[in-house]
Amino acid sequence: MKKGLIAIGVIIILIIIVYSSVKGSYNGMVAKDEAVSAAWSQVENVYQRRADLIPNLVNTVKGYAAHERETLEGVIEARAKAISVTIDPSKMDAEAIAKFQQAQDGLSAALGRLIAVAESYPDLKANQNFLDLQAQLEGTENRITVERQKFNETARDYNTYIRSFPRNIFAGMFNFDKRAYFEASAGAEKAPEVKF
């Protein structure tokens, strides 16, 4: 009788230990998964801030460089494409991030052309509204870099957590998948060529 009670007690203790381990791992994975989703939301937030600045910038340039219609329309089209590409954080993979990044790179290129056009107009370059918008845009680009870095750090923390033993077993059981990272755009490793 005593041996039976001891065996039952040991089994109950093992069940409690296993339950606590699974519960702690699962809750940790949920918390880290939510952290990745929150970091992604912040990335989207700063990209949206950039998109929100563009209409004002385009309107300011339009007043000085009305005959640069093709460039202005290119920026507007690139903005529309960039804001139309969204990612569901729960379905985020490398392909989705690459598609998002491609749309954002298109907008960055269009903005670069717009700023280059502005260089041809001394009155525009001296316009305080244009200068303020350009400064805000530069600040937003810095924020984008910071938020992308934070996202990558959060995704790395999550990926490390779910791939560590024994959590990798629970991650597989509960469908916690590895998250993709932001990567540099193709050709980013080459320094731009400057000619005088």
Side-chain angles (χ1 to χ4, degrees):
M1 180 86 171
K2 281 187 174 184
K3 287 184 182 182
L5 288 174
I6 291 174
I8 291 172
V10 168
I11 290 171
I12 290 172
I13 289 172
L14 288 175
I15 289 172
I16 291 171
I17 290 171
V18 169
Y19 170 78
S20 296
S21 176
V22 170
K23 178 185 164 206
S25 292
Y26 180 82
N27 289 343
M29 287 184 274
V30 167
K32 292 185 181 292
D33 183 57
E34 286 298 317
V36 172
S37 294
W40 177 252
S41 293
Q42 193 56 28
V43 167
E44 287 183 321
N45 182 33
V46 292
Y47 274 114
Q48 183 62 50
R49 183 179 194 282
R50 177 175 75 168
D52 291 345
L53 289 171
I54 291 169
N56 292 331
L57 189 63
V58 167
N59 286 334
T60 301
V61 173
K62 193 185 300 183
Y64 287 87
H67 62 281
E68 300 287 352
R69 182 181 184 113
E70 185 178 317
T71 303
L72 297 171
E73 287 175 355
V75 172
I76 292 167
E77 289 171 17
R79 178 188 182 272
K81 184 177 179 182
I83 62 175
S84 72
V85 177
T86 58
I87 299 176
D88 178 356
S90 66
K91 297 177 179 129
M92 187 181 310
D93 59 8
E95 184 180 328
I97 288 180
K99 184 178 176 185
F100 180 85
Q101 188 170 352
Q102 183 179 15
Q104 296 300 331
D105 288 347
L107 180 55
S108 294
L111 281 172
R113 287 188 296 275
L114 181 67
I115 299 300
V117 162
E119 292 296 318
S120 302
Y121 296 91
D123 289 344
L124 175 59
K125 288 188 334 185
N127 179 289
Q128 189 60 46
N129 191 33
F130 177 77
L131 293 173
D132 290 345
L133 288 167
Q134 191 174 10
Q136 287 181 38
L137 194 59
E138 289 169 2
T140 300
E141 293 296 333
N142 290 335
R143 289 178 185 174
I144 288 170
T145 301
V146 168
E147 294 306 329
R148 284 175 49 156
Q149 180 181 358
K150 285 180 185 177
F151 171 80
N152 280 348
E153 290 170 357
T154 306
R156 180 186 44 79
D157 182 48
Y158 167 80
N159 290 340
T160 302
Y161 189 82
I162 67 166
R163 294 179 66 209
S164 301
F165 183 80
R167 289 185 291 266
N168 61 339
I169 296 168
F170 304 134
M173 288 172 36
F174 298 117
N175 295 321
F176 284 94
D177 297 320
K178 188 176 174 187
R179 294 295 186 98
Y181 300 107
F182 265 107
E183 296 180 6
S185 299
E189 70 280 355
K190 297 177 187 170
E193 190 175 319
V194 178
K195 294 182 180 179
F196 294 102

